[in-house]
Amino acid sequence: MENTKLRRRVLTTATATVAVGALALAGLTGVASAGPPAATAPAVSADSLSPGLLAAMERDLGLDAEAARTRIAGEYRAAAIAAGLEKSLGTSFAGARVSGEKADLTVATTDASEAALITRAGAKAEVVGHSLDRLEAAKDALDKAALAKAPKNVPVWYVDVAANQVVVNGASTSAAEAFVKAAGVSDKLVTVARTTEQPRALADIRGGDAYYMGGGGRCSVGFSVTRGSTQNGFVTAGHCGRAGTTTNGVNQQAQGTFQGSTFPGRDYAWVATNANWVPRPLVNGYGRGDVTVTGSTPSVVGASVCRSGSTTGWHCGTIQQLNTSVTYPEGTISGVTRTSVCAEPGDSGGAYISGSQAQGVTSGGSGNCRSGGTTYFQPLLPALQAYGLTLVTSGGGNPTTPPTTPPPTDQPGGTWAAGTSYAVGATVTYGGATYRCLQAHTAQAGWTPAAVPALWQRI
């Protein structure tokens, strides 16, 4: 590591701790395939979004109903375009983000010659010095160093695509610099940020409903899932319970048992419920109407996101960074998403959702819903993959036009392609085999059918 001083900036985040909530990623449906020419934004009608979600977005983001619909439509379109460009740009891709009332998309690249391709796809091009692969490799090195020895007084680090840097938050700049140096990461890739944030996992213990652990405490349901053809359940935060922990539902009646739980490292778990509990593709709107879940595609940086939890109900904010690492007293959690949504104890495990698209399960954070705060959610897909679960949705979404020039079926990828939106029941070929889509989603790089059984079934 070079000896030049790391760049420094001072943050003034609050020290109060915030509640954890579980959430699940929802698939993006009804979006045209990404890549040149520009994808067409899907229509977001007046009755397609929950009144509760719209009310919370107006309260927390200052958006009236029409502005909220416009923004969500733009975010859906941006997610599809960003996925297609990530595939097209390959190793020069440097991240994507949205901004403004219409969710204008910016896509960064390290290759200036690709700016025209980005513009044709419907995004603003930005040429930067570091690819996303390079920044994520640096963050991975920090993650490995934290697993070997949890850093002291360094609560959070993440890839900031807007700054084209890895940001390391420390109680002091010297603590952050020492952590970066110990990990062997080049200071050219890192910005040190001083923060008073003290995140911790909290278990004061439809999506958003309360449940109670047998050993005491309350958390919130994330999203309904199934395993196989007969077992129902839900996903939640791993820190809420361990395998074997029993649960009672919001009505205090026997509900189920934790079947699997991962924490720290990641923060996800799933609870198998008894026959009295019927899974629904809904998130509790807390008096403003339930929100229907239609899929599991993640939104991009800058997108709006709302949370439902059993302590504070509905609150909204924006996605600030993806692939963040955060250190709690129990250890380091990696791969979480950083948001500006507030939460409080008991919201743990509650649902985060963008429009009708589920986003993940809250892991922890700081602040509260009186003064504001920062929260981190665990994306859903890793939990579905880890436990072989299927997200319960309203039945899919609309098929979209396939790419006009699909790759030949004898190529390793077959007809499957990242950036394409797939509806439930759609079939593709990959690696010489045929697969059926189990959940509506927009394919991301690395989500090949053979690698993601939660999304695809071989037939």
Side-chain angles (χ1 to χ4, degrees), residues 334-353:
S334 297
V336 293
T337 298
R338 188 171 186 255
T339 81
S340 64
V341 186
C342 72
E344 295 182 10
D347 288 329
S348 296
Y352 274 75
I353 190 165

Side-chain angles (χ1 to χ4, degrees), residues 5-11 13 151-157 167-181 190-198:
K5 287 290 184 181
L6 297 173
R7 283 169 290 181
R8 302 178 181 182
R9 62 185 174 90
V10 178
L11 302 184
T13 53
K152 186 177 181 180
N153 297 323
V154 183
V156 181
W157 55 99
V167 176
V168 179
N169 287 344
S172 67
T173 55
S174 59
E177 289 171 352
F179 175 46
V180 173
K181 183 176 181 180
V190 176
T191 295
V192 165
R194 183 160 54 84
T195 181
T196 57
E197 186 178 349
Q198 296 179 332

Side-chain angles (χ1 to χ4, degrees), residues 181-400:
K181 183 176 181 180
V185 174
S186 170
D187 54 11
K188 292 181 178 180
L189 303 175
V190 176
T191 295
V192 165
R194 183 160 54 84
T195 181
T196 57
E197 186 178 349
Q198 296 179 332
R200 60 186 177 96
L202 303 173
D204 183 26
I205 9 183
R206 290 161 288 207
D209 281 351
Y211 70 90
Y212 302 86
M213 289 77 78
R218 168 173 55 86
C219 278
S220 300
V221 173
F223 293 90
S224 297
V225 297
T226 60
R227 186 175 186 181
S229 59
T230 59
Q231 182 59 64
N232 299 324
F234 61 87
V235 290
T236 188
H239 71 265
C240 288
R242 296 303 186 195
T245 299
T246 58
T247 67
N248 288 340
V250 64
N251 59 2
Q252 295 287 1
Q253 300 301 304
Q255 179 188 61
T257 305
F258 276 75
Q259 301 298 302
S261 177
T262 300
F263 179 79
R266 293 295 183 97
D267 195 3
Y268 50 65
W270 86 282
V271 174
T273 56
N274 60 45
N276 294 328
W277 295 84
V278 178
R280 304 293 187 190
L282 301 173
V283 173
N284 190 338
Y286 282 92
R288 299 181 178 89
D290 292 339
V291 178
T292 300
V293 179
T294 65
S296 57
T297 294
S299 294
V300 300
V301 171
S304 61
V305 66
C306 296
R307 177 195 54 73
S308 175
S310 59
T311 297
T312 60
W314 270 107
H315 285 276
C316 298
T318 59
I319 293 174
Q320 296 177 321
Q321 284 87 26
L322 308 177
N323 192 18
T324 298
S325 294
V326 56
T327 297
Y328 303 136
E330 299 87 346
T332 296
I333 311 298
S334 297
V336 293
T337 298
R338 188 171 186 255
T339 81
S340 64
V341 186
C342 72
E344 295 182 10
D347 288 329
S348 296
Y352 274 75
I353 190 165
S354 293
S356 64
Q357 308 302 308
Q359 296 299 305
V361 296
T362 305
S363 175
S366 59
N368 56 49
C369 289
R370 297 174 297 281
S371 61
T374 298
T375 54
Y376 305 90
F377 71 73
Q378 164 69 60
L380 179 65
L381 188 61
L384 300 181
Q385 289 179 292
Y387 302 126
L389 306 173
T390 299
L391 177 67
V392 175
T393 68
S394 63
N398 299 321
T400 58

